[in-house]
Amino acid sequence: MRATILILVAVPLVALVQPAAAQLHSPTGTVADPIKPKPPLTLTDTQRAKVVDAVSKEDTLEKVPEGLEPTVGTKVPDQAKLAAHPLPRPLVYEVPQLKQYYYARLPDRVLIIDPMKQEVAAILPM
């Protein structure tokens, strides 16, 4: 009698768990898709001007660390040598693709930095 009751309870539970387990190994990859890398940062001239205007109002001027010649794709030094700051919130609301980026303001340009890769994503002249 107990065995019958256990079987009657266990069978529906197995039926519920099995489809979920099958999804984890789905050949379509719908559940276990890897995180896609973000596309290269592209900004219009208007967006670039908004970035420069917004960060020039911030008191975050940095001097260029010795030996750094920033180009797009260059690894940035650690925070002690070049401080990267989150972009101002109002700017991120206007230009949402900047949401995951930081910036460093140098005397003659602004570096847009990808904090996940620790590299320069864009360079904007001041």
Side-chain angles (χ1 to χ4, degrees):
M1 179 79 172
R2 274 190 193 173
T4 307
I5 292 173
L6 283 176
I7 290 172
L8 290 175
V9 172
V11 169
L13 289 177
V14 170
L16 289 173
V17 173
Q18 192 172 12
Q23 282 183 347
L24 292 176
H25 302 293
S26 171
T28 62
T30 54
V31 174
D33 274 344
I35 296 173
K36 295 177 184 172
K38 52 185 156 180
L41 181 62
T42 53
L43 299 171
T44 65
D45 290 339
T46 304
Q47 291 170 329
R48 288 173 174 265
K50 286 180 182 181
V51 171
V52 170
D53 183 52
V55 301
S56 65
K57 295 173 185 172
E58 302 289 320
D59 185 24
T60 57
L61 186 61
E62 298 283 331
K63 66 178 195 174
V64 181
E66 194 173 313
L68 176 67
E69 275 303 319
T71 58
V72 173
T74 302
K75 292 284 183 189
V76 292
D78 62 16
Q79 280 285 98
K81 293 183 180 176
L82 181 68
H85 307 278
L87 286 154
R89 283 285 144 217
L91 174 66
V92 173
Y93 294 141
E94 275 189 72
V95 188
Q97 63 261 43
L98 292 172
K99 182 171 125 181
Q100 297 179 4
Y101 291 93
Y102 280 48
Y103 78 96
R105 188 175 76 141
L106 304 177
D108 60 342
R109 58 197 153 186
V110 176
L111 306 180
I112 304 297
I113 298 170
D114 182 338
M116 298 302 284
K117 293 181 180 179
Q118 288 297 309
E119 65 184 32
V120 177
I123 300 174
L124 311 176
M126 290 289 284

